[in-house]
Amino acid sequence: MRDDLIARATTWLTEDPDPDTRTELAQLIESGDVAELEARFSGTLQFGTAGLRGELGAGPMRMNRMVVIRAAAGLAAYLKKHGNENGLVVIGYDARHKSQDFARDTAAVMTGAGLRAAVLPRPLPTPVLAFAIRHLGAAAGVEVTASHNPPRDNGYKVYLGDGSQIVPPADAEIAAEIEAIGSLHDVPRPDTGWETLDDTVLDAYLARTDAVLAAGSPRTARTVYTAMHGVGKDTLLAAFARAGFPTPDLVAEQADPDPDFPTVAFPNPEEPGAMDLAFAKASETDPDLIIANDPDADRCAVAVKDNRTRDNGTKGNGTKDDNGWRMLSGDEVGSLLATHLVTRGAHGTFAESIVSSSLLGRIAEKAGLPYEETLTGFKWIARVEGLRYGYEEALGYCVDPEGVRDKDGITAALLITELASGLKEQGRTLTDLLDDIAVEHGLHATEQLSVRVEDLSVIAGAMERLRAHPPTELAGLPVTEAEDLTRGTDRLPPTDGLRYTLTGARVIVRPSGTEPKLKCYLEVVIPVAGHADLPAARTKATALLTTIKQDLSAAAGI
């Protein structure tokens, strides 16, 4: 077995075009590090509806130029089989380690396959790539990014010509074409022949952002902004300048791209500590709100000043600091944007993923608008017919589906700042509007139980235990329906997940599609008669969520 492992690694080494990973792999072979070689050669990084995502390094179980070239060749073969012999593939990339190399390799493979390739001029937000696909009439698009994953990761996201991410069966068909690729020596990769775009596409994207805002709306809200060491700063500043908002105060330590993300453990605004520098900046400048993008700027986080102490002794229900700044949850921002669009007279379908708050459905119903629930991910939300607005609790919002059929952290930031500006003119805040929403539709309190693991079998074991012994009650609330979503429903295709409906609550359990995590999404709904009842309702909701989390952890064995 050891000899076979060394032989496979040596064969891989002869094809690897990257001197960095060649050196890395040669040292592993020379040292005879069997455990590490087994980890890298135990299979292949699987291409799915999230494309590819994984840790950088040598070998088929890591992200590297070999894996990317094979993925690009498989995508090219798929496109040609589907009648795109001379189709255009647009390629974007972020500022992570190797992203530019992976983008260039993709362009070379597409050109060698007889397709046309165009690469964005520099690291830019993922929404710019999603916009460019439709704007340029491309057959497909590729974004090299690992979004908010740790610094050691990178990824490869694929879009088709409609501007939305791939879904089954396209993912399986592309995966089969990748599997069929033989030696990389047989994949043509010319040194030239593709186009490097200028700023024309970016300018067109920025012009499109104007459509997000209402003509003549207030533009007075002051913001603190962090790009989280990613690529969002320049594009967001340009969009805010076009709109006429005050120039955001930047979190200087996180403003410019840095693939090592030195100030955060994880470059994700949802992670503990990630917003600390933004809170510190806000304590200096006293803005109306804080805006954060994740590193590829397709997500948008919002924080507000909320000095009102809840009955349970905490300020709000999200990450907070000593000066009263707290992160709004994705569900809170989702309901704020939906309410704002309804107030502006929006028409069309409102949509969200099944793990997001049921509040959006109530807002849409009250407004007489169509509403759809989809599987997790914007690859599903973006495909909803007649979509006007879609969101996902993981800080993703699609507020201009005709421009970008994906989540877009730039346009979401514009829209929430417009809303904050309008409220400011009335002497009100985003938290005041959240209170109004709770009184009108009931308090929808959400929380997540998220368990990061080193061993993926822990996740499989938890799912197996819950399937074998589904809970009959959580926090004393009876489970009225237990659904295994692998069987699908009358409205949803099959997915690896479990959904429990309780009296006044809901729980969904699923493995993450992009990280080694088990995610459990909890929601309780408390009727509220008036604003005076909100503190007691929040206290009750917090207690229920805490107990549901404890009971679910016990049932799953995590």
Side-chain angles (χ1 to χ4, degrees):
M1 181 178 292
R2 180 183 183 280
D3 291 344
D4 177 64
L5 190 61
I6 296 294
R8 280 187 286 137
T10 303
T11 300
W12 182 275
L13 189 64
T14 64
E15 296 185 31
D16 192 345
D18 189 333
D20 294 335
T21 46
R22 277 205 313 271
T23 299
E24 178 186 322
L25 185 55
Q27 290 173 347
L28 289 174
I29 294 171
E30 184 178 353
S31 66
D33 191 339
V34 174
E36 186 61 25
L37 287 170
E38 280 183 343
R40 293 163 183 257
F41 287 84
S42 59
T44 58
L45 206 57
Q46 291 301 300
F47 185 94
T49 51
L52 294 166
R53 194 175 292 188
E55 185 177 347
L56 290 163
M61 287 295 289
R62 298 288 186 268
M63 280 296 296
N64 51 63
R65 291 181 61 192
M66 289 266 288
V67 166
V68 165
I69 290 166
R70 294 176 68 86
L75 174 60
Y78 168 86
L79 291 172
K80 292 172 74 171
K81 275 190 177 179
H82 285 263
N84 293 294
E85 289 83 0
N86 191 39
L88 173 67
V89 179
V90 189
I91 303 151
Y93 58 101
D94 67 11
R96 284 177 177 266
H97 293 296
K98 298 291 182 181
S99 285
Q100 189 169 9
D101 293 340
F102 294 167
R104 186 188 184 281
D105 283 332
T106 301
V109 170
M110 296 303 163
T111 303
L115 296 158
R116 293 176 293 129
V119 184
L120 293 183
R122 58 185 173 280
L124 287 168
T126 292
V128 177
L129 181 277
F131 168 83
I133 295 165
R134 287 163 57 79
H135 180 70
L136 297 175
V142 171
E143 177 70 17
V144 181
T145 181
S147 190
H148 56 276
N149 275 40
R152 64 180 182 273
D153 290 1
N154 212 328
Y156 198 81
K157 186 184 293 187
V158 176
Y159 298 76
L160 293 182
D162 63 354
S164 52
Q165 298 173 51
I166 55 170
V167 295
D171 58 341
E173 292 179 33
I174 295 170
E177 296 293 347
I178 295 171
E179 185 67 25
I181 303 298
S183 170
L184 255 60
H185 297 309
D186 300 328
V187 178
R189 284 178 286 133
D191 293 327
T192 59
W194 58 88
E195 179 184 5
T196 299
L197 298 167
D198 58 20
D199 279 350
T200 305
V201 168
L202 175 61
D203 291 342
Y205 168 82
L206 287 169
R208 177 75 202 183
T209 64
D210 296 345
V212 173
L213 304 176
S217 63
R219 311 283 168 89
T220 57
R222 295 174 50 251
T223 57
V224 158
Y225 172 71
T226 174
M228 207 65 69
H229 297 297
V231 299
K233 180 193 71 174
D234 291 344
T235 304
L236 182 131
L237 289 180
F240 270 55
R242 287 182 65 98
F245 289 115
T247 302
D249 289 310
L250 301 178
V251 178
E253 301 94 328
Q254 299 174 333
D256 295 319
D258 188 332
D260 293 320
F261 306 105
T263 68
V264 291
F266 291 95
N268 179 354
E270 293 179 295
E271 293 285 346
M275 294 291 289
D276 286 354
L277 289 172
F279 291 152
K281 185 68 176 181
S283 70
E284 298 171 11
T285 61
D286 195 30
D288 297 297
L289 70 164
I290 299 171
I291 299 288
N293 286 139
D294 67 338
D296 69 327
D298 62 350
R299 289 174 168 83
C300 176
V302 180
V304 296
K305 196 84 172 274
D306 187 4
N307 287 315
R308 293 169 296 179
T309 302
R310 308 301 192 198
D311 283 3
N312 60 0
T314 65
K315 300 182 182 74
N317 64 352
T319 302
K320 61 186 183 301
D321 81 337
D322 293 337
N323 294 311
W325 285 95
R326 75 170 179 101
M327 273 275 289
L328 298 181
S329 71
D331 287 317
E332 287 177 312
V333 176
S335 68
L336 286 168
L337 293 176
T339 300
H340 184 42
L341 290 171
V342 166
T343 302
R344 279 179 32 182
H347 295 285
T349 301
F350 281 21
E352 64 180 341
S353 63
I354 58 172
V355 299
S356 304
S357 171
S358 60
L359 176 56
L360 184 68
R362 296 197 181 192
I363 292 171
E365 182 182 17
K366 184 79 175 285
L369 295 175
Y371 164 77
E372 290 289 339
E373 195 178 54
T374 75
L375 293 183
T376 306
F378 268 83
K379 58 184 175 283
W380 299 108
I381 294 171
R383 284 180 159 76
V384 168
E385 187 174 350
L387 181 68
R388 174 60 185 87
Y389 168 66
Y391 98 91
E392 190 158 70
E393 55 74 43
L395 310 182
Y397 315 94
C398 176
V399 301
D400 178 27
E402 289 305 305
V404 175
R405 290 193 177 175
D406 198 4
K407 53 187 176 290
D408 183 346
I410 304 296
T411 51
L414 288 170
L415 195 62
I416 197 71
T417 307
E418 177 186 60
L419 173 57
S421 297
L423 291 167
K424 183 179 182 179
E425 297 294 297
Q426 302 166 24
R428 305 179 74 235
T429 66
L430 293 174
T431 53
D432 292 328
L433 182 54
L434 284 170
D435 286 350
D436 293 347
I437 293 170
V439 171
E440 183 173 3
H441 302 287
L443 176 66
H444 290 63
T446 58
E447 195 168 329
Q448 190 179 130
L449 169 62
S450 182
V451 181
R452 185 182 293 272
V453 301
E454 293 292 331
D455 181 0
L456 291 177
S457 68
V458 174
I459 295 175
M463 296 296 288
E464 185 177 332
R465 277 187 290 276
L466 288 171
R467 286 191 169 103
H469 305 286
T472 57
E473 68 172 33
L474 295 168
L477 302 174
V479 175
T480 57
E481 186 176 14
E483 299 171 274
D484 186 342
L485 298 178
T486 55
R487 303 186 180 98
T489 72
D490 57 346
R491 301 186 66 84
L492 297 171
T495 187
D496 186 9
L498 301 165
R499 178 164 60 182
Y500 305 117
T501 303
L502 300 89
T503 304
R506 184 214 64 193
V507 172
I508 293 175
V509 184
R510 60 179 285 272
S512 170
T514 56
E515 299 177 90
K517 283 183 175 181
L518 180 68
K519 291 188 170 183
C520 310
Y521 304 84
L522 322 177
E523 179 180 39
V524 298
V525 181
I526 310 294
V528 181
H531 284 77
D533 299 309
L534 280 170
R538 288 195 175 96
T539 300
K540 180 178 180 181
T542 299
L544 280 172
L545 287 169
T546 299
T547 309
I548 289 174
K549 186 184 292 189
Q550 293 169 348
D551 291 353
L552 185 63
S553 295
I558 53 176

